[in-house]
């Protein structure tokens, strides 16, 4: 049932070209510039005119929410807040009638997310569920929604569910933006095409698995690691650090690259691996200068960069190369090496990567 792979986690990482394709299939028509999300039709008007969107989730799903915040604000010009469901549910949040809540959950059973949406629903919010498990509690409690269609995710570490969440959230943002007219038609068509090309590009990224396995051997004995990124890739740094913690038990932290100077830089020594998500985007130059700051303190830099980009060999100890992609869709690519690095380090250390200690697949208690 692992389909020839050693672990479910690896199988699920490698399924991503297919799962993202399945998620887009029948919904995104990049040729004609059409996005159909039938589970949202009934509330389309309210969602488009929402004064505010609040995204609620936990763990990896919360990271997908952070990416969506950047995408929705950029494309739709609707203010977005992203909050841990566990914080939201206990803090008497301000909710106005007509606010749209997007709940993101692979399992659809996470207790905190479920109670958070029940609370918001009572106060007049419209609940949109982005869920993987069909018929799950969060799916049933939502007014509207879109399934991620990633298929069952067995590994405790979320991988394919995350990229499918990003694919759905990007479609939602594009649809709202197109209908509102907050992006022009040319940009809309371009982004539809970029999104449709993602499955193929993920397959290209996966061809680097063996090279990432070599890096895993090199860095597996680190006691700590830092993950840095900016903009759309800042949440990918958080996600990279979470994956490493879960699977390899190495202490890791993710930060927006510029925040590093406000504290974490004190950790940098010649034994600290620092993973930079530094693909070519509007933040690129800034990220490269952060990389210089780390290198000046002798950190061991692993840089995820874009094909054709020239990063001075003096800046990065190792590079992982991504195919070019618009910055809006790039996180679906840059997250793949984060998953593979965590996986191979966990395996190299002899851990049970599918069932890491102390973790459950879905957290159904608060
Ligand atoms: O099923 P959910 O998406 O609601 O789960 C949320 C988190 O528990 C989950 O993403 C967790 O952080 C994963 N173990 C991450 O790999």
């Amino acid at each position: 049932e692992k389909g020839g792979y050693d672990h479910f986690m690896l199988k699920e990482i490698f399924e991503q070209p297919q799962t993202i394709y399945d998620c887009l299939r029948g919904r995104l028509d990049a040729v004609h510039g059409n996005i159909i999300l039938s589970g949202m039709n009934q509330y389309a008007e309210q969602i488009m005119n929402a004064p505010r969107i609040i995204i609620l989730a936990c763990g990896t799903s919360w990271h997908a929410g952070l990416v969506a915040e950047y995408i929705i604000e950029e494309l739709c010009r609707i203010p977005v807040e992203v909050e841990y469901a566990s914080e939201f549910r206990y803090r008497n949040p301000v909710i106005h009638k007509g606010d749209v809540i997007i709940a993101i959950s692979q399992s659809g059973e996470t207790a905190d997310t479920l109670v958070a949406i029940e609370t918001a629903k009572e106060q007049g919010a419209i609940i949109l569920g982005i869920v993987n498990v069909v018929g799950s509690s969060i799916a049933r409690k939502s007014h509207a929604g879109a399934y991620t269609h990633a298929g069952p995710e067995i590994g405790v570490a979320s991988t394919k569910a995350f990229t499918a969440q990003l694919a759905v959230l990007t479609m939602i943002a594009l649809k709202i933006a197109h209908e509102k007219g907050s992006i022009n038609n040319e940009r809309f068509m371009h982004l539809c095409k970029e999104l449709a090309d993602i499955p193929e590009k993920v397959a290209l990224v996966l061809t680097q698995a063996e090279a990432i396995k070599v890096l895993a051997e090199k860095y597996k004995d680190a006691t700590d690691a830092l993950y840095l990124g900016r903009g759309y890739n800042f949440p990918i740094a958080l996600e990279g650090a979470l994956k490493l913690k879960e699977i390899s038990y190495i202490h890791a932290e993710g930060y927006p690259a510029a925040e590093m100077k406000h504290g974490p830089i004190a950790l940098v020594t010649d034994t600290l691996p620092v993973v930079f998500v530094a693909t070519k985007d509007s933040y690129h130059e800034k990220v490269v200068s952060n990389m210089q700051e780390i290198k000046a303190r002798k950190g061991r830099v692993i840089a995820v960069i874009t094909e054709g980009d020239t990063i001075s060999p003096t800046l990065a100890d190792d590079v992982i190369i991504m195919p070019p992609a618009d910055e809006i869709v790039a996180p679906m690519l840059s997250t793949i090496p984060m998953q593979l690095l965590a996986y191979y380090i966990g395996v190299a250390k002899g851990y049970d990567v599918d069932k890491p200690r102390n973790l459950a697949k879905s957290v159904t208690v608060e």
Side-chain angles (χ1 to χ4, degrees):
E1 56 194 44
K2 288 182 202 148
Y5 291 94
D6 289 345
H7 300 97
F8 283 110
M9 183 177 174
L10 191 63
K11 171 175 177 264
E12 288 161 4
I13 291 172
F14 271 84
E15 274 172 358
Q16 290 173 106
Q18 187 64 43
T19 50
I20 301 171
Y21 178 80
D22 289 342
C23 174
L24 302 175
R25 188 178 51 192
R27 294 165 156 179
L28 170 70
D29 175 355
V31 176
H32 303 99
N34 204 9
I35 295 172
I36 303 158
L37 294 165
S38 45
M40 287 173 43
N41 280 351
Q42 229 188 314
Y43 290 88
E45 198 73 13
Q46 281 112 308
I47 295 166
M48 212 174 79
N49 296 313
R52 180 172 69 143
I53 294 175
I54 303 169
I55 300 181
L56 301 177
C58 304
T60 289
S61 298
W62 182 78
H63 295 153
L66 287 181
V67 177
E69 174 187 18
Y70 281 54
I71 296 178
I72 296 172
E73 290 204 342
E74 168 68 23
L75 300 182
C76 313
R77 312 309 297 160
I78 299 173
V80 180
E81 287 168 35
V82 189
E83 193 156 341
Y84 289 116
S86 57
E87 286 298 314
F88 180 89
R89 65 178 280 200
Y90 285 112
R91 70 168 181 87
N92 193 17
V94 179
I95 300 164
H96 302 294
K97 205 171 177 319
D99 279 349
V100 168
I101 305 263
I102 303 182
I104 310 173
S105 175
Q106 186 286 129
S107 62
E109 302 297 345
T110 299
D112 283 322
T113 311
L114 182 60
V115 178
I117 63 172
E118 282 169 344
T119 311
K121 202 172 172 183
E122 279 162 20
Q123 296 179 46
I126 295 157
I127 317 293
L128 198 60
I130 310 300
V131 174
N132 195 42
V133 177
V134 176
S136 56
S137 304
I138 293 171
R140 282 183 284 117
K141 288 268 151 64
S142 300
H143 292 110
Y147 283 113
T148 39
H149 296 312
E153 192 180 62
I154 312 291
V156 162
S158 191
T159 54
K160 63 176 182 172
F162 178 66
T163 45
Q165 287 165 347
L166 295 181
V168 167
L169 289 160
T170 307
M171 280 192 285
I172 292 174
L174 279 171
K175 191 171 172 65
I176 298 174
H178 188 51
E179 281 172 19
K180 277 187 78 165
S182 50
I183 55 171
N184 65 33
N185 200 50
E186 195 187 333
R187 178 116 175 95
F188 174 73
M189 292 301 287
H190 169 74
L191 287 173
C192 285
K193 168 90 174 59
E194 282 285 307
L195 185 54
D197 286 347
I198 284 294
E200 223 172 279
K201 290 183 185 175
V202 168
L204 270 176
V205 177
L206 287 168
T207 62
Q208 292 181 75
E210 282 303 313
I212 294 173
K213 193 173 175 182
V214 173
L215 291 186
E217 280 298 327
K218 180 171 170 186
Y219 292 101
K220 71 177 194 311
D221 296 319
T223 53
D224 303 87
L226 204 54
Y227 284 73
L228 302 174
R230 293 175 91 119
Y232 303 97
N233 276 321
F234 150 55
I236 302 307
L238 297 183
E239 175 60 6
L242 179 65
K243 287 282 95 80
L244 193 72
K245 279 184 271 209
E246 284 187 293
I247 302 304
S248 74
Y249 313 148
I250 293 174
H251 167 242
E253 299 202 40
Y255 267 93
E259 265 300 299
M260 151 201 98
K261 273 183 282 197
H262 301 278
I265 199 163
L267 294 169
V268 179
T269 63
D270 60 1
T271 60
L272 183 78
V274 184
V275 178
F276 269 94
V277 193
T279 47
K280 200 87 189 169
D281 57 20
S282 45
Y283 303 84
H284 186 63
E285 276 172 37
K286 299 274 172 206
V287 181
V288 171
S289 73
N290 295 138
M291 214 184 279
Q292 276 156 352
E293 286 154 357
I294 293 287
K295 207 61 221 162
R297 283 147 189 101
K298 304 206 166 30
R300 302 164 80 191
V301 172
I302 304 161
V304 177
I305 61 171
T306 302
E307 188 188 320
D309 192 19
T310 47
I311 288 264
S312 153
T314 56
L315 269 190
D317 297 70
D318 292 288
V319 293
I320 302 170
I321 297 174
M322 297 291 106
D326 191 284
E327 62 184 2
I328 298 281
V329 299
M332 282 176 269
L333 304 176
S334 52
T335 199
I336 309 288
M338 309 292 131
Q339 299 169 348
L340 286 168
L341 193 60
Y343 171 79
Y344 285 121
I345 291 180
V347 170
K349 295 178 80 103
Y351 297 140
D352 183 355
V353 293
D354 281 339
K355 285 195 174 58
R357 69 183 179 209
N358 308 340
L359 293 172
K361 182 62 187 160
S362 55
V363 183
T364 52
V365 289
E366 63 168 289

